[in-house]
């Protein structure tokens, strides 16, 4: 289905999602000064995945948004990796930059060289290298997410990862996947790349619902029931106290009246004696 406008719009939407996907995670890491649970291996795998994905998208002549998308992925992944090392492994900023910057330059140069090489191969009707790039990018992207699956399995919780980041990334995968349908030729490998990661993110969100959301909801409901029970106890105690005070007040009134009746004959006798005198 050749609909260039739809392909560009959806591809741009996917690129925008991928441009901001890691920003919520980066902000959370900065505010907490902690990356516990966020896997640096995942971030480095994603940075490396941007190379074959970029090569595949560029050589396949995808829309401009999908060509830029992998470059943004690599940059943000390296930035998040630096946060993992700085906050998690207590590296200095100098040490983190000393590793991340050369890696970024190396990945950029490698991608540029592969683009020229694979274009030449495609002109010579050799398609297996571009197929390999597509498969490699899908494997690296999925391996990065699967690394987080292992942490979920060990800890029985989804920790260290922003669910907003997951949702935005999944939305980027979805829009990019749909945009492939509107390209001049239906690229099955492109569908596999974005579809496989989308499925894995859905799994992470499902795990978050099971391990995080359901216990949190139960705890909130239990706290609410506990507050309501305490309120009922407080109301009951107040009513009991009121009834006890009312009972004491009424008994005091009766005792005062009785004592006055008892003292009345004595008072009359004293007055009679005084009068006789």
């Amino acid at each position: 289905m050749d609909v260039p406008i739809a392909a560009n719009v959806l591809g741009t939407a996917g690129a925008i999602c991928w441009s901001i996907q890691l920003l919520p995670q980066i902000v959370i890491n900065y505010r907490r000064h902690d990356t516990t649970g966020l896997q640096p291996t995942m971030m480095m795998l994603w940075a490396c995945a941007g190379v074959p994905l970029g090569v595949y998208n560029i050589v396949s002549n995808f829309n401009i948004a999908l060509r830029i998308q992998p470059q943004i992925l690599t940059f943000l992944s390296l930035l998040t990796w630096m946060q993992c090392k700085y906050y998690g492994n207590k590296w200095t900023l100098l040490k983190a930059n000393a590793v991340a910057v050369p890696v970024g330059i190396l990945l950029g140069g490698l991608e540029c060289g592969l683009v020229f090489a694979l274009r030449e191969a495609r002109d010579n009707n050799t398609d297996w290298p571009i197929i390999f790039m597509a498969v490699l990018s899908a494997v690296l992207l999925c391996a990065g997410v699967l690394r987080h699956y292992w942490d979920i399995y060990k800890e029985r919780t989804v920790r260290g990862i922003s669910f907003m980041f997951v949702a935005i990334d999944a939305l980027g995968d979805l829009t990019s996947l749909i945009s492939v349908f509107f390209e001049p030729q239906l690229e099955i490998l492109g569908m596999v790349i974005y579809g496989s990661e989308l499925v894995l993110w859905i799994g992470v969100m499902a795990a978050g619902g099971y391990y995080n959301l359901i216990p949190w909801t139960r705890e909130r409901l239990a706290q609410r029931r506990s507050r309501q029970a305490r309120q009922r106890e407080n109301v009951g105690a107040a009513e009991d106290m009121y009834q006890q005070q009312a009972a004491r007040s009424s008994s005091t009134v009766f005792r005062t009246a009785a004592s006055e009746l008892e003292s009345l004959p004595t008072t009359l006798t004293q007055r009679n004696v005084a009068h006789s005198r």
Side-chain angles (χ1 to χ4, degrees):
M1 184 184 299
D2 185 6
V3 185
I5 295 178
N8 284 320
V9 169
L10 290 169
T12 302
I16 292 173
C17 288
W18 274 30
S19 299
I20 64 174
Q21 60 172 343
L22 278 169
L23 293 181
Q25 186 68 56
I26 291 170
V27 171
I28 287 177
N29 295 341
Y30 174 75
R31 288 179 176 176
R32 294 188 304 194
H33 295 283
D34 183 38
T35 56
T36 301
L38 183 62
Q39 305 302 316
T41 308
M42 171 185 172
M43 294 297 102
M44 185 56 72
L45 286 171
W46 274 21
C48 294
V51 173
L53 181 60
V55 173
Y56 175 73
N57 287 359
I58 293 171
V59 176
S60 298
N61 293 320
F62 283 173
N63 59 76
I64 188 65
L66 290 180
R67 298 183 196 184
I68 297 173
Q69 190 182 71
Q71 325 313 322
I72 299 171
L73 172 66
T74 296
F75 173 75
L76 292 179
S77 297
L78 282 176
L79 182 59
T80 311
W81 179 85
M82 288 177 58
Q83 284 188 316
C84 291
K85 291 302 181 180
Y86 179 71
Y87 294 125
N89 297 102
K90 307 304 179 183
W91 284 17
T92 63
L93 283 176
L94 181 62
K95 182 178 179 180
N97 277 284
V99 176
V101 172
V103 168
I105 295 173
L106 176 63
L107 293 177
L110 181 61
E111 180 179 345
C112 184
L114 286 172
V115 166
F116 285 106
L118 268 66
R119 276 178 173 169
E120 183 69 23
R122 170 155 284 190
D123 291 340
N124 294 327
N125 297 320
T126 304
D127 292 331
W128 71 263
I130 189 63
I131 295 175
F132 176 73
M133 288 293 104
V135 173
L136 180 60
S137 63
V139 168
L140 290 173
L141 288 170
C142 292
V145 182
L146 286 172
R147 178 65 184 86
H148 203 77
Y149 269 80
W150 177 247
D151 186 72
I152 294 172
Y153 173 76
K154 289 193 304 180
E155 302 296 333
R156 294 296 189 273
T157 186
V158 180
R159 59 177 189 153
I161 193 167
S162 167
F163 284 101
M164 185 178 293
F165 150 58
V166 173
I168 294 174
D169 196 355
L171 181 61
D173 288 326
L174 180 61
T175 53
S176 299
L177 175 63
I178 297 174
S179 74
V180 174
F181 286 96
F182 295 98
E183 294 291 343
Q185 293 182 348
L186 186 62
E187 292 284 348
I188 302 299
L189 289 175
M191 295 170 59
V192 171
I193 292 172
Y194 296 111
S196 57
E197 192 186 28
L198 175 61
V199 170
L200 289 176
W201 279 135
I202 292 174
V204 171
M205 287 188 283
Y210 181 76
Y211 288 118
N212 296 59
L213 182 59
I214 292 177
W216 179 83
T217 303
R218 289 175 177 171
E219 182 179 356
R220 292 298 296 267
L221 289 174
Q223 291 176 353
R224 183 177 179 180
R225 294 193 191 99
S226 178
R227 286 196 301 268
Q228 291 175 346
R230 287 197 300 268
Q231 289 175 355
R232 287 195 295 267
E233 290 176 358
N234 292 336
V235 171
E239 290 179 351
D240 292 341
M241 185 178 296
Y242 174 77
Q243 292 176 357
Q244 293 174 2
Q245 290 177 349
R248 284 198 299 268
S249 299
S250 61
S251 62
T252 303
V253 170
F254 287 127
R255 284 200 303 269
T256 303
S259 61
E260 289 180 353
L261 289 174
E262 290 175 357
S263 63
L264 182 59
T266 304
T267 305
L268 292 174
T269 303
Q270 292 175 351
R271 288 180 179 177
N272 291 331
V273 172
H275 181 71
S276 62
R277 288 180 182 177

